[in-house]
Amino acid sequence: MSKVLVIGAGGVGSVAVHKMAMNTDIFSHITLASRRKFKCDAVAESVKQRTGVTIDTAEVDADDVAATTALLKQVKPDLVVNLALPYQDLAIMDACLAAGVNYLDTANYEPRDEAKFEYSWQWAYQDRFKQAGLMALLGSGFDPGVTSVFTSHTKKHLLDRIDTLDILDCNGGDHGQHFATNFNPEINIREVTAPSRHWANGEWVEGPALSHKQSFDFEQVGPKNMYLMYHEELESLAKHYPEIKRIRFWMTFGDAYLKHLEVLQNVGMTRIDPVIYEGKEIIPLQFLKAVLPEPASLGPTTHGKTNIGTIATGEKDGKQKTFYVYNICDHEDAYAETGNQAVSYTTGVPAMIGAALMLQGKWKGEGVFNMEQFDPDPFMDMLNKHGLPWQVKELDAPLAF
C-alpha cells in the first residue's frame, strides 16, 4: 500500500494523477490538493471517467507551511509529489520535514521577486533531509528529469566519457492561439526572458536572452529555429558529471511567439516588480498570466508533436562517437489518454515514474538528490512502458555549432 499526495492541479498535476490511477499496484491511494479545490475535483472526475479509479481531493495553500503540514499529517502519505509553482518548493519541503514525508518535484525553486534559477536553496536542505532519514528527489520532469536520465544512460551504456552535451527541446505543436504558453505563463516567460547561460571549460558563459540561434531538423517535426537558454539541469549535470567540458540547452520558438514576447517586454508586461494601478500593487507578469489562455485548456486544439533529447559526443573504446537519445510525443495522443497536451504529458509522466521508483524502493537514499545520481535503467524501462518511448541514434559527427 502506497499513499501519495500530489500538490498542484494544473496540466502536469492532471497527467500525473491520471497515470498514477493507471498503476494502482504502485499508487494504492491518491490525494490531489490545490489552492482551488474545484480544479482538483475536475481532475478527479476525469480520472474516474477514464480509469474508474476514485481519488481524494483537498484544498491547501502551499505557501502556508503549517497548513501543508497539517494536511500531510491528516493524509499520511508516503510521498509528496510537488507539481505546484517553483516559488513554493521550499515551503513544501519544510512541511515534508515537519511531517516526516519524502518529497519529489519537477522544477527547482526560484524566488518570486527575481528570475534566478539555481539549486543552491534546495541543495542546502541536504543535511536536514539526511538527518530526518528522508529523501527529496529534484527535477523529475522531462527537462530537467528525463534529459538528465538520458545523460546517465549515455554514460552507462553508450560512452566511456562524455565531452560535450546538448539538450534540445522542440515543441512542434500548434494550439491555434495568437499567443499562449504551453505551461504556466508566468514561469515560462520568466525562463525565456532570462539571460542565456551555458557551461564551458569549468565556468559559466552568459549572454543576452535569445541572442544565439541555430536551426535543427527534428524528426517528425521538421527544421526549427532553436535558441540557447539556461535551464537548471545544466547546473546539476555540471556538478555530477565534471568530465563534461561543455553543456548547452536549446529550445525552439516560433517567430510569432517571439514577436509577441518582444512587444510584451517593450511595454513592460513581463516585469516581475510591482507597479501601482488604481492605488493597488500589481505584478505586470501576473496580470498577463490572468488574461492569457490557461495552458491546461489548450489540449483540445493542440496538434503536432514534441521532440526532446540529448546529443552527447565523447569517447567509446578509444574512438570519438556521438549519440542522440530522444523521445517524440504526439499532442493528440496525449490528449486522448489524459485530456492534456504533450507539454504537460511529457512532464507529468516522468513525475509519476520518479514517484513510482521511490515508492518501490528502486531509487532510495537519505538527503537531496538529482535525477542523474540514480541508476537510469529502471526509469528508462518505465518510459517505454508508460507512454514516452525513447530512441537512440548514432550520428555521423558532432553538432557543427
Side-chain angles (χ1 to χ4, degrees), residues 5-300:
L5 171 66
V6 178
I7 301 178
V12 174
S14 174
V15 171
V17 296
H18 276 87
K19 299 297 282 191
M20 289 173 182
M22 296 173 191
N23 293 276
T24 52
D25 56 324
I26 302 172
F27 303 94
S28 59
H29 187 277
I30 305 163
T31 301
L32 177 63
S34 173
R35 185 171 56 85
R36 293 176 289 180
K37 187 175 180 295
F38 73 88
K39 294 187 68 175
C40 300
D41 293 338
V43 173
E45 183 178 351
S46 175
V47 169
K48 181 69 173 179
Q49 291 176 349
R50 292 172 185 272
T51 70
V53 173
T54 299
I55 69 170
D56 290 339
T57 61
E59 182 176 317
V60 69
D61 179 356
D63 289 313
D64 187 333
V65 176
T68 306
T69 302
L71 178 62
L72 294 184
K73 290 181 176 179
Q74 175 189 334
V75 174
K76 295 182 173 60
D78 301 291
L79 173 67
V80 166
V81 176
N82 169 19
L83 305 178
L85 295 173
Y87 316 138
Q88 298 167 316
D89 288 359
L90 301 189
I92 297 174
M93 292 178 79
D94 286 335
C96 284
L97 286 167
V101 181
N102 294 309
Y103 170 91
L104 175 149
D105 67 28
T106 60
N108 71 346
Y109 171 76
E110 58 183 88
R112 290 182 185 271
D113 58 354
E114 183 181 6
K116 189 173 185 179
F117 313 99
E118 61 182 52
Y119 277 115
S120 61
W121 292 284
Q122 290 179 279
W123 283 344
Y125 278 68
Q126 166 67 19
D127 290 343
R128 293 170 63 190
F129 269 81
K130 187 173 184 179
Q131 290 165 8
L134 297 173
M135 176 177 169
L137 181 62
L138 309 182
S140 189
F142 206 105
D143 42 356
V146 174
T147 52
S148 309
V149 177
F150 281 174
T151 304
S152 300
H153 173 85
T154 299
K155 178 62 187 291
K156 182 175 181 178
H157 297 288
L158 303 175
L159 293 172
D160 299 324
R161 185 192 70 241
I162 301 175
D163 294 325
T164 63
L165 177 72
D166 286 270
I167 299 168
L168 282 61
D169 183 325
C170 169
N171 177 18
D174 181 1
H175 45 56
Q177 302 283 337
H178 292 295
F179 183 80
T181 62
N182 287 287
F183 60 95
N184 185 287
E186 190 177 352
I187 303 302
N188 175 268
I189 292 172
R190 283 166 62 111
E191 182 180 279
V192 171
T193 55
S196 70
R197 195 170 178 234
H198 72 278
W199 183 254
N201 299 314
E203 62 182 15
W204 293 108
V205 179
E206 293 193 0
L210 305 174
S211 61
H212 190 169
K213 178 176 71 173
Q214 294 288 344
S215 180
F216 189 84
D217 191 355
F218 290 90
E219 182 180 336
Q220 297 188 39
V221 176
K224 291 286 183 180
N225 289 329
M226 59 183 190
Y227 295 80
L228 189 66
M229 291 177 54
Y230 178 69
H231 229 236
E232 62 248 47
E233 65 264 44
L234 303 189
E235 182 182 21
S236 67
L237 289 169
K239 176 181 179 179
H240 297 122
Y241 287 101
E243 69 191 58
I244 305 179
K245 297 181 178 66
R246 189 191 70 208
I247 312 174
R248 302 181 297 189
F249 180 92
W250 306 86
M251 183 174 281
T252 63
F253 299 102
D255 291 341
Y257 175 94
L258 294 177
K259 177 56 67 177
H260 279 83
L261 185 62
E262 180 184 7
V263 172
L264 291 169
Q265 282 184 284
N266 288 342
V267 298
M269 286 304 300
T270 63
R271 289 172 54 178
I272 60 175
D273 56 311
V275 300
I276 303 298
Y277 174 71
E278 294 187 345
K280 297 180 180 179
E281 260 193 11
I282 66 166
I283 306 293
L285 183 54
Q286 292 178 356
F287 177 80
L288 176 62
K289 173 188 173 183
V291 299
L292 287 176
E294 173 71 30
S297 72
L298 300 175

Side-chain angles (χ1 to χ4, degrees), residues 318-350:
K319 297 180 180 179
Q320 185 187 77
K321 290 183 175 289
T322 299
F323 289 99
Y324 185 18
V325 187
Y326 61 100
N327 161 264
I328 298 171
C329 185
D330 188 285
H331 282 285
E332 293 178 70
D333 290 346
Y335 181 74
E337 183 183 359
T338 68
N340 296 275
Q341 37 87 359
V343 174
S344 296
Y345 191 89
T346 54
T347 304
V349 173

